Amino acid sequence: MKFTHESLPQRVVFDSYAAADHVAAEVERLGARRPMLVSTGTSIELEGAVRHTEVVMHVPVEVAERARSSAASHGVDVLVAVGGGSTTGLAKAVALTTGLPIIAVPTTYAGSEATAVWGLTEGGRKTTGTDPRVLPRVVVYDASLTLSLPVPLSVASGLNAVAHGVDSMWAPRADPINRAFALESIRALNAGLPRVFDHPSDVEGRENLLYGAYLAAVAFASAGSGLHHKVCHVLGGMFNLPHAPTHAVVLPYVTALNEFAAPALAPAFGAPTALEGLLRLANRLDAPRSLRELGLREADLPAAADGVLAAVPGNNPAPVDGARLATLLHDAWEGKDPR
């Protein structure tokens, strides 16, 4: 056994029905006096906070620039992001150029709050990178804030978290430590998603999802972006497809391609194979199954394949060429059984 593992420094506060008190305490702990509350709508109030509500999926550069300008003009000294991945992503875009600390309060299972990964979209192309400045200093998890998340969005967001765990098994910097986090995350999410699907107001079930989403994101932050995420970033950036549902659709196809390299995945899903367990979960949750239903046109597939081919990780377990990518994407577009 030989590997190098790096853990990211971050404070995590996990406590349902207590986010407002914890956020105020964390702002004070950081010595901040002028917070910017980045959110499209939240019950959390902060004394003296500047509110910024322009949040757009995939963080267009021009949206990021307006948020940066607002932070500068108001003398902001801490960013409080309350919302899903797009909200956290916007706060990261501001932190990237300003170095302002972030307190993240997730209301979905996106996992962006636990990574130093940022993403910006310009001219139909999504660019991602890593920078320690964008890692939130504090994450406040409060499952009660996810109760208003509709079941279909909870499913898509939860499967996005599953994708973080699965892709971490073969990503460029995969190691035994982040694989252990990933497998525990999959077990938690596999148990929690059906529970929330059946009983949306079950706070304990949603706590399970937040816990699993956090572990998956920590694994992903360490392991890096594997083939699955490269596919989804291209599709999101080029065609503005919805982030979490795209992950839900694409994941079985990449899993079918790569799972031979990660035999521990099947037991985490409680199934003979990881693909069988993943499809069983997706069917149980009535998850989206095709890129076509998300709005992608068949005519867009060749451009998507070219974009993904340029980003395929060199250490992907299965060899990937243009023909194989074209088949994978067409199958995902049509919703065919993964092969």
Side-chain angles (χ1 to χ4, degrees):
M1 187 180 295
K2 183 178 180 180
F3 62 90
T4 300
H5 177 82
E6 185 172 348
S7 297
L8 299 178
Q10 187 177 67
R11 176 178 170 89
V12 176
V13 180
F14 200 110
D15 187 10
S16 296
Y17 297 102
D21 290 341
H22 286 302
V23 168
E26 295 302 324
V27 168
E28 183 177 356
R29 193 181 67 84
L30 290 173
R33 295 290 180 267
R34 190 60 166 162
M36 174 185 274
L37 187 60
V38 183
S39 179
T40 57
T42 175
S43 58
I44 293 179
E45 298 293 339
L46 281 174
E47 185 176 350
V50 176
R51 188 179 290 271
H52 188 87
T53 60
E54 186 191 15
V55 177
V56 181
M57 187 172 61
H58 302 304
V59 195
V61 167
E62 60 274 14
V63 172
E65 288 295 344
R66 286 193 286 271
R68 291 164 177 166
S69 177
S70 179
S73 65
H74 289 95
V76 167
D77 56 4
V78 65
L79 304 164
V80 179
V82 184
S86 296
T87 303
T88 305
L90 179 60
K92 286 181 171 185
V94 177
L96 183 65
T97 57
T98 65
L100 289 172
I102 300 172
I103 299 173
V105 188
T107 60
T108 71
Y109 313 110
S112 176
E113 68 278 0
T115 80
V117 178
W118 57 267
L120 290 165
T121 302
E122 185 174 21
R125 181 177 297 273
K126 185 170 186 177
T127 302
T128 62
T130 59
D131 192 299
R133 289 175 295 179
V134 310
L135 177 72
R137 300 277 186 88
V138 184
V139 184
V140 176
Y141 286 111
D142 181 340
S144 71
L145 298 181
T146 70
L147 289 172
S148 61
L149 190 66
V151 169
L153 289 180
S154 297
V155 166
S157 186
L159 288 173
N160 181 20
V162 173
H164 288 140
V166 171
D167 216 24
S168 296
M169 300 298 292
W170 46 64
R173 298 186 303 277
D175 66 43
I177 294 175
N178 48 49
R179 286 192 182 105
F181 277 112
L183 292 172
E184 173 62 12
S185 77
I186 292 165
R187 282 188 282 267
L189 293 162
N190 190 52
L193 274 165
R195 186 169 172 176
V196 169
F197 183 79
D198 292 337
H199 305 287
S201 60
D202 181 356
V203 173
E204 290 185 5
R206 289 185 180 270
E207 286 178 341
N208 222 30
L209 294 192
L210 282 177
Y211 165 70
Y214 170 72
L215 290 178
V218 170
F220 176 71
S222 175
S225 185
L227 176 63
H228 169 80
H229 281 79
K230 297 300 185 184
V231 173
C232 292
H233 286 163
V234 168
L235 293 173
M238 291 181 72
F239 308 108
N240 201 36
L241 297 188
H243 183 78
T246 301
H247 281 274
V249 169
V250 170
L251 185 59
Y253 298 93
V254 177
T255 301
L257 185 68
N258 282 343
E259 79 159 291
F260 72 91
L265 270 176
F269 280 106
T273 69
L275 179 61
E276 183 176 333
L278 183 58
L279 290 176
R280 183 188 303 165
L281 180 63
N283 290 334
R284 171 78 167 77
L285 302 173
D286 195 25
R289 288 298 305 273
S290 75
L291 295 173
R292 175 166 47 190
E293 68 185 276
L294 301 184
L296 187 69
R297 301 177 306 165
E298 188 173 16
D300 293 328
L301 293 176
D306 289 343
V308 174
L309 187 59
V312 173
N315 68 336
N316 190 69
V320 178
D321 57 18
R324 197 161 201 176
L325 267 181
T327 299
L328 185 153
L329 286 170
H330 196 277
D331 287 352
W333 177 81
E334 197 172 351
K336 291 180 64 173
D337 289 341
R339 45 180 164 156

